[in-house]
């Protein structure tokens, strides 16, 4: 299977899933993890309609006093991280994704202690290969990000194998989370 074929399969499979329910399951699994409880800052994402709904995670992060950063697309290849103090400030941005507004400054994730990055994917393999949407945004970010990361992947989108390029970040099974919890 090529990446292109894998993306087509994943996109079709995703339309059959209840992403509100998957998101609720992931949120519950996440809140019980020490990695979440210890996190002082969360690098999250506002979900697209075919991604697990993260609204509850975003609300809980702020309610628990964690600093919340979300991506803001800057170009065809780069995204900025922006700290957002309240979800009502979000505006539709590139691809219709809710983004921090242009007047909030870009932040350096390295400047946040105890950061936890929640990483979206189209699909993932059990041995830790992430399939993204093909923009390379997260590949570039993960190449320099040194903090803790969790890949959020619905159970139905976990494969035994996926093609992997040199630049693809790899996730250990204990850093892959489905609505049923951490893979092990
Ligand atoms: N919720 C969320 N936010 C995110 C990402 C993401 O994957 N999910 N990104 C992660 O990179 C960045 C935005 N990158 C994106 C890249 C492509 C598409 C997208 O919808 N692509 C189309 C195909 C476009 C094409 O025709 O080539 C698609 O997947 O259907 C969306 C976001 C930053 N923010
Ligand atoms: N660390 C990097 N530095 C520069 N370019 C990169 C890096 N990682 C990936 N790229 C480029 O990004 C493009 C897209 O890569 P890939 O198809 O793996 O994206 P993806 O992981 O599916 O997308 P995304 O991360 O946006 O969800 C590739 O053409 C690759 O050359």
């Amino acid at each position: 299977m090529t990446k292109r074929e894998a993306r087509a399969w994943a996109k079709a499979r995703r339309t059959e899933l209840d992403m509100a329910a998957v998101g609720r399951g992931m949120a519950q699994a996440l809140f019980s993890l020490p990695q979440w409880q210890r996190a002082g800052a969360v690098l999250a994402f506002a979900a697209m309609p075919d991604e697990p709904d993260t609204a509850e995670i975003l609300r809980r992060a702020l309610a628990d006093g964690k600093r919340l950063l979300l991506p803001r697309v800057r170009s065809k290849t780069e995204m900025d991280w922006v700290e957002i103090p309240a979800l009502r400030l979000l505006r539709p941005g590139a691809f219709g994704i809710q983004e921090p507004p242009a007047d909030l400054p870009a932040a350096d994730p390295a400047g946040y202690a105890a950061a936890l990055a929640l990483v979206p994917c189209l699909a993932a393999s059990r041995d830790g290969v992430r399939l993204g949407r093909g923009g390379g945004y997260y590949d570039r970010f993960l190449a320099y990000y040194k903090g803790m990361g969790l890949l959020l992947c619905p159970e139905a989108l976990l494969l035994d194998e996926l093609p992997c390029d040199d630049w693809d970040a790899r996730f250990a099974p204990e850093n892959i989370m489905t609505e049923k919890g951490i893979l092990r």
Side-chain angles (χ1 to χ4, degrees), residues 4 18-19 23 35 44 52 61 79 87 106 113 130 141 150 152 159 162-163 167 171 176:
R4 193 194 158 98
D18 177 351
M19 289 299 189
Q35 295 98 303
M79 62 185 184
L87 298 179
R130 166 182 181 270
F141 161 62
L150 279 179
L152 302 193
L159 295 163
L162 269 176
W167 57 77
F171 287 80
I176 303 179

Side-chain angles (χ1 to χ4, degrees), residues 7 11 14 44-52 54 70-73 75-76 78-81 94-99 119-122 130 132-139:
R7 284 196 181 95
K11 284 182 184 174
R14 291 160 87 84
F45 59 93
M48 299 172 67
D50 74 338
E51 292 174 330
T54 55
L70 292 174
R72 184 173 62 205
V73 170
S75 72
K76 276 199 132 86
E78 303 282 332
M79 62 185 184
D80 287 327
W81 287 98
F95 310 103
I97 300 168
Q98 292 288 115
E99 283 191 341
V119 179
C121 67
L122 276 184
R130 166 182 181 270
R133 290 183 182 267
Y137 291 93
Y138 273 91
D139 289 329

